[in-house]
Amino acid sequence: MNNFTKQDIKNSVEYQWRKHQIKLLFYVWLIVVVATFLVVALPVCMVNIEFWDVGLLTWLGAIGVVSIFFAIFMVVYHSKNVYLTKHFAEFSEHEVTLDRVATANLWRNRGAVYYIVTVTKNGITKNVDTSPCFSSNAFAKFTCDDYNNKKVVGLYDEINNQFYIIKKVGK
């Protein structure tokens, strides 16, 4: 149904955005771990050396709970990348223009932008959303300015009614 390879998918906007999100989550988690250790656990252990084990165990328990939260999101992003690499051959290829912008409403993607694209398959025209891959913040992998009103080629996942952006076409 399309001419993409697994390597094309791994280099795609969709895949790279999710990979970037996983890295961002990991770095934020790491900062939380180090900062809470330096601000909470270390001073408790230094003030009263008799209770260093209680302070350390409390910190580890709190970090464990926080880690579950971060891990859930990292696993979701990773599983979506796995899904894309396993099923991309089943999706139809389309060339569209990213000209209908929408702002993500989900709290985890607040401030991010996605596009609504028009896809025609088997004579049926549908409006389909892309992932919220674009943003203008400093941590964005892909900016709106680089993709707005540009032609892209992507894959339409009919089961999930999702359009996965693979790459820009032309300049």
Side-chain angles (χ1 to χ4, degrees):
M1 296 184 109
N2 63 66
N3 296 319
F4 292 114
T5 65
K6 191 176 252 189
Q7 193 59 42
D8 291 333
I9 300 305
K10 287 186 175 184
N11 292 329
S12 71
V13 170
E14 183 78 25
Y15 190 95
Q16 290 299 316
W17 171 69
R18 292 192 193 287
K19 190 173 168 184
H20 181 72
Q21 293 298 101
I22 292 168
K23 286 179 184 176
L24 278 177
L25 285 168
F26 174 75
Y27 290 131
V28 170
W29 172 82
L30 192 60
I31 289 168
V32 168
V33 168
V34 171
T36 57
F37 181 75
L38 294 175
V39 173
V40 178
L42 191 60
V44 167
C45 295
M46 290 174 70
V47 168
N48 196 341
I49 197 71
E50 295 173 10
F51 297 111
W52 71 270
D53 54 342
V54 174
L56 194 59
L57 285 175
T58 303
W59 172 76
L60 285 172
I63 288 303
V65 171
V66 170
S67 296
I68 291 169
F69 175 77
F70 280 95
I72 288 170
F73 287 102
M74 287 190 263
V75 166
V76 167
Y77 284 127
H78 177 72
S79 65
K80 289 188 179 199
N81 268 353
V82 169
Y83 172 81
L84 182 60
T85 55
K86 282 180 81 171
H87 298 281
F88 76 92
E90 304 163 15
F91 306 147
S92 56
E93 182 178 336
H94 300 272
E95 187 174 303
V96 298
T97 302
L98 299 178
D99 56 1
R100 290 175 43 202
V101 179
T103 305
N105 292 327
L106 290 174
W107 64 269
R108 71 173 187 253
N109 294 323
R110 191 161 305 278
V113 169
Y114 67 94
Y115 288 89
I116 302 167
V117 298
T118 303
V119 174
T120 303
K121 184 171 180 190
N122 300 329
I124 299 170
T125 302
K126 291 184 179 183
N127 289 325
V128 184
D129 296 343
T130 67
S131 294
C133 303
F134 310 97
S135 181
S136 58
N137 72 38
F139 301 109
K141 174 84 173 170
F142 301 102
T143 64
C144 304
D145 294 338
D146 291 339
Y147 284 84
N148 199 35
N149 293 315
K150 302 287 195 255
K151 282 193 183 250
V152 297
V153 64
L155 298 173
Y156 173 54
D157 178 359
E158 204 166 5
I159 294 169
N160 292 314
N161 198 37
Q162 183 77 27
F163 187 80
Y164 304 116
I165 299 171
I166 304 304
K167 62 183 177 180
K168 279 195 272 188
V169 178
K171 294 182 180 179

